[in-house]
Amino acid sequence: MTTVVWLRDELFLENNAAVAGAAAAAVRDGDRRVVPLVVVRLERWVTLDASTRRRQLEALRTLDDALDDQLLFQHGEPAQVLRTVVRAASATEVHVASSRSSADLLDEEAVEAALDVPLVRHAPATSTSSLAAVRWWMPVDCHGYPPTV
């Protein structure tokens, strides 16, 4: 079955524990499909200064290129977005890098409560050797970047 990797601040593939965990799970179950997902709250996005938004957009474009244009980018509340994506993809797990941020921890709790599949948290930096065996996959037509407000 398909696995989702929820990317927050770690917009890169190499040495990304959540990506490595999702890839290993996808290979282990034989499906090999991983949905790479970024969720942004517009109310947070608009508070970023212009140079930070530019850096974030560049990081998103670089990541999308590395994923063969399969990065799924969504706006909204993470719990609601993840629930929708998990159902659309028939995913069996969601992987995320652990965070110490109080906002991220609250999001994780809300996501965990909203999902009927496990939220697998990963400590920082592990090997990404399974990446070559993964098929990056976008289950719905929701591809794009945030506005440049």
Side-chain angles (χ1 to χ4, degrees), residues 48-63:
L48 301 175
D49 62 69
S51 65
T52 301
R53 281 198 306 263
R54 245 188 325 278
R55 283 193 308 276
Q56 289 282 32
L57 285 171
E58 185 57 37
L60 288 167
R61 288 184 182 106
T62 300
L63 179 59

Side-chain angles (χ1 to χ4, degrees), residues 70-141:
Q70 295 299 303
L71 179 62
L72 181 57
F73 188 94
Q74 296 286 292
H75 304 267
E77 290 297 319
Q80 180 181 354
V81 171
L82 277 153
R83 183 176 54 241
T84 300
V85 170
V86 163
R87 288 182 182 157
S90 299
T92 56
E93 294 178 346
V94 174
H95 292 257
V96 65
S98 296
S99 174
R100 292 195 173 133
S101 153
S102 58
D104 286 348
L105 292 172
L106 287 173
D107 282 344
E108 288 175 22
E109 288 175 14
V111 166
E112 199 162 36
L115 296 179
D116 54 2
V117 301
L119 177 64
V120 182
R121 294 172 178 91
H122 295 274
T126 60
S127 170
T128 53
S129 60
S130 300
L131 294 185
V134 168
R135 284 182 20 220
W136 301 109
W137 183 62
M138 185 187 325
V140 291
D141 292 319

Side-chain angles (χ1 to χ4, degrees), residues 15-69:
N15 297 317
N16 185 321
V19 169
V27 170
R28 186 174 50 251
D29 76 16
D31 181 70
R32 295 183 25 225
R33 290 189 299 183
V34 176
V35 177
L37 172 66
V38 172
V39 181
V40 168
R41 289 192 175 126
L42 287 178
E43 64 271 13
R44 288 188 187 169
W45 179 259
V46 298
T47 64
L48 301 175
D49 62 69
S51 65
T52 301
R53 281 198 306 263
R54 245 188 325 278
R55 283 193 308 276
Q56 289 282 32
L57 285 171
E58 185 57 37
L60 288 167
R61 288 184 182 106
T62 300
L63 179 59
D64 193 37
D65 288 345
L67 295 168
D68 299 323
D69 298 323

